[in-house]
Amino acid sequence: MKQKGILIVVSGFAGTGKSTVVKMLAEKYSEQYALSISMTTREPRKYETHGVEYFFSTKEEFERTIAEDGFIEHACYIGNYYGTPRKYVEEQLEAGKDVLLEIEIQGALQVKEKLPDTMLVFVMPPSAEILFNRLKGRGTETDDVIRKRMLRAVEESQGIEQYDYILVNDDLDVCVEGLHQMIQSEKLRASRNIPFIENMRKELVDLKKGEV
Ligand code: ADP
Ligand code: 5GP
């Protein structure tokens, strides 16, 4: 029987580079990972396509999905709803894929509470100044939204200790590979490999019996 995949949450301040990192990871190791696509009520950016970066929805559609229990988690971030559709995540985990959720902190903590086996990673910028420059350099938000997102970063920074790991996004390729290696180690935790351990015990006992 195929082993179930693990659920990995990646969070970080706006502009850290987390979308870039998870997208590259999912592309580089496409056999291993599935990247969940969230639903949001925020307006699409110029380069974004419905069904690729997000499922863009109305408030009504989003609220209907909440009522139908269609999300694993959902949250409000600076005036817009964001949520993780349940069906895709459950199907991919069942198929043995490691599923990546790129979501903010309130959602991350909801997932950890419902599914305590979830691995939580907080991606950090090398410095606050670099964060600001990346956010501004992306050129997708007005100065007012940038200001709100930086203020939100101050609040989010209070919750980082609730994550299992931090990862610094300085050199992009190093960060992507670092995340992959962290996940590989996480998958080797003894507590995540009980069937394998139990089978080894059984094989050892059988072998010993055969010798006597
Ligand atoms: P987030 O999803 O965390 O809001 P993005 O992935 O949109 O951030 O990245 C913000 C900006 O920073 C983008 O313009 C992206 O190309 C750039 N970026 C991401 N990672 C790095 C990096 N390691 N070094 C320099 N620029 C980066
Ligand atoms: P952005 O508008 O920059 O794409 O995303 C804003 C914030 O919402 C980011 O912190 C991003 O990680 C988070 N986010 C994206 N999708 C989801 C989701 O499905 N659930 C939650 N809780 N946050 C999300």
Side-chain angles (χ1 to χ4, degrees), residues 80-100:
N80 287 305
Y81 278 134
Y82 295 81
T84 304
R86 178 186 300 284
K87 190 163 173 278
Y88 176 81
V89 172
E90 290 179 349
E91 282 172 359
Q92 294 299 312
L93 288 173
E94 220 36 69
K97 292 267 190 169
D98 296 329
V99 179
L100 298 161

Side-chain angles (χ1 to χ4, degrees), residues 13-20 102 134 137-138 169-172:
F13 314 128
T16 303
K18 57 195 180 301
S19 320
T20 310
E102 188 254 283
R134 280 186 192 164
R138 191 170 65 191
N169 179 20
D170 191 351
D171 179 280
L172 188 54

